[in-house]
Amino acid sequence: MSGFARVRELAVPGGSRVIAVSDVHGSVVILRRLLAKVGFRADDTLIFVGDMFLKGPAPRETLDYIIALSAQPNVFALNGNCDWVGRDGDGCGVPTLLDADVRPRAGWLTERHTAYLSGLPEIIALRLGGEEYLFVHAGLDPDAPLCRQEVKTCLTAGAFAERGFASGSRLITGHWPVANYDHSAPRHNPVIDAERRLVSIDGGLVVKADGQLNALIITGGGFSYVCEDDLPEIAAPRDCRGSSGATLNLTWLDRFVEPLGGDGEFKPYRHAATGRTIELPDDCVWREGELWCANGTDFRLAVRAGEPVKLVREYSGGMFVKKNGTAGWIYK
Ligand SMILES: [Mn+2]
């Protein structure tokens, strides 16, 4: 069984820009706006770090757009777990879009689409100036050489940035919404870990109500980014003091809670991982069998009256908004 990842090697001239975008998840309108915002042009190199079209509002249009872009010599893409159509005869242990349970969500895929997807690599190794940058959707096995990386690890490794990766190269990944790395507030901007040479860029678009699409911009001089989402911009209704003490952001792996009763718009829950109590509206809470789960925060944003913020949701007791990529509450 050969489940080794394909590696594509690229070299781009020093002084040019490399732009990385991951987890577009079918949001072609936001993608187009993001590329306009970043000023994407022919002498940039654009890399899609997987999870391009499934889950979101316009899967087919998004895939067609990325295939059309990929006809340009400066645009590249790699496989995410949501793009995987498998390869002849291999058993990588990753469900494919052609499996019976997934196929209905991607029944429109044509031969042209699957030919494109099956030709994608899982790893891009790019030289820019004197540095090597590795792009992979989820993560890499730190103990294996690049030519012996398992497809499954590349496409599905979870919470990769918590494990780390020692390498002389800089590694850019998507897959794990970066807000899941932050236990105090939902922060969606790219996480640049200079010490460990790791950059995580999944802004949680589509999968989180307050998510966004991030474009990481790489130059010889370092990293910067721009972000885009579909949230309406409003003026903050009043001055609000931000959180001063410890706050809680419930991440995916720590999503389990215990309801403590209450009948108001915000009900108290005990967070299983920390034992702390957090008050959340009903739309942050769901059941998984016998277990109660929640996605939310008690982080309060500091804003001035009239300051522009993005509105995520409005409740009678307050607003959940986002400012500079961080979401939080403005309570009444
Ligand atoms: Mn994804």
Side-chain angles (χ1 to χ4, degrees):
M1 172 170 101
S2 161
F4 291 134
R6 276 187 199 151
V7 184
R8 169 144 200 185
E9 295 187 352
L10 300 173
V12 300
S16 64
R17 297 196 305 174
V18 177
I19 297 162
V21 177
S22 85
D23 298 83
V24 176
H25 283 303
S27 301
V28 71
V29 173
I30 297 175
L31 172 61
R32 286 174 181 272
R33 286 210 307 263
L34 183 75
L35 293 180
K37 201 169 179 178
V38 78
F40 172 62
R41 51 182 197 259
D43 57 350
D44 296 325
T45 298
L46 175 61
I47 298 178
F48 289 102
V49 192
D51 277 12
M52 293 178 277
F53 62 96
L54 220 57
K55 291 186 182 172
R60 183 171 188 158
E61 292 81 352
T62 307
L63 183 56
D64 284 339
Y65 180 56
I66 290 175
I67 291 175
L69 276 177
S70 300
Q72 300 175 27
N74 59 327
V75 179
F76 305 89
L78 49 77
N79 263 312
N81 54 306
C82 294
D83 312 305
W84 179 243
V85 294
R87 286 190 199 118
D88 287 346
D90 69 13
C92 298
V94 181
T96 90
L97 290 178
L98 308 179
D99 288 349
D101 55 333
V102 184
R103 185 77 216 202
R105 288 195 285 155
W108 48 267
L109 283 175
T110 64
E111 243 172 69
R112 187 177 66 93
H113 293 129
T114 52
Y116 170 78
L117 294 169
S118 65
L120 294 176
E122 286 71 50
I123 298 169
I124 289 177
L126 176 143
R127 293 208 75 83
L128 168 66
E131 290 279 354
E132 185 180 61
Y133 298 82
L134 299 175
F135 299 80
V136 64
H137 179 62
L140 293 174
D141 177 354
D143 300 320
L146 217 49
C147 60
R148 287 289 180 276
Q149 291 289 331
E150 295 283 347
V151 167
K152 189 172 184 178
T153 308
C154 294
L155 300 192
T156 67
F160 180 72
E162 285 175 1
R163 281 180 272 161
F165 179 76
S167 160
S169 307
R170 294 186 166 93
L171 182 58
I172 290 94
T173 67
H175 184 59
W176 201 254
V178 296
N180 282 323
Y181 289 122
D182 195 313
H183 298 279
S184 64
R187 295 183 172 92
H188 300 288
N189 290 340
V191 174
I192 298 164
D193 184 338
E195 195 177 318
R196 294 190 301 160
R197 305 164 82 84
L198 274 174
V199 187
S200 304
I201 66 171
D202 181 359
L205 188 70
V206 174
V207 301
K208 291 181 182 285
D210 46 336
Q212 63 194 30
L213 189 61
N214 294 326
L216 181 75
I217 303 159
I218 307 166
T219 63
F223 300 108
S224 60
Y225 53 82
V226 297
C227 317
E228 190 61 61
D229 60 34
D230 229 358
L231 299 167
E233 191 171 281
I234 60 162
R238 67 195 80 87
D239 285 342
C240 295
R241 277 230 305 258
S243 293
S244 51
T247 58
L248 200 53
N249 177 42
L250 306 191
T251 63
W252 176 248
L253 294 177
D254 287 343
R255 64 190 180 280
F256 303 104
V257 295
E258 177 199 335
L260 298 175
D263 54 7
E265 186 181 36
F266 293 81
K267 298 185 180 71
Y269 297 86
R270 181 172 292 113
H271 182 219
T274 59
R276 291 176 49 198
T277 300
I278 182 169
E279 296 204 343
L280 295 169
D282 292 343
D283 58 3
C284 290
V285 180
W286 70 95
R287 299 285 296 268
E288 291 178 12
E290 295 297 297
L291 299 170
W292 288 80
C293 305
N295 170 18
T297 185
D298 54 8
F299 179 74
R300 281 180 287 131
L301 274 175
V303 295
R304 293 233 178 98
E307 183 181 356
V309 293
K310 297 292 191 87
L311 177 64
V312 182
R313 277 197 190 120
E314 193 164 7
Y315 302 85
S316 54
M319 291 176 174
F320 194 60
V321 302
K322 189 167 75 168
K323 173 181 151 183
N324 299 332
T326 299
W329 292 97
I330 304 176
Y331 292 120
K332 279 185 182 156

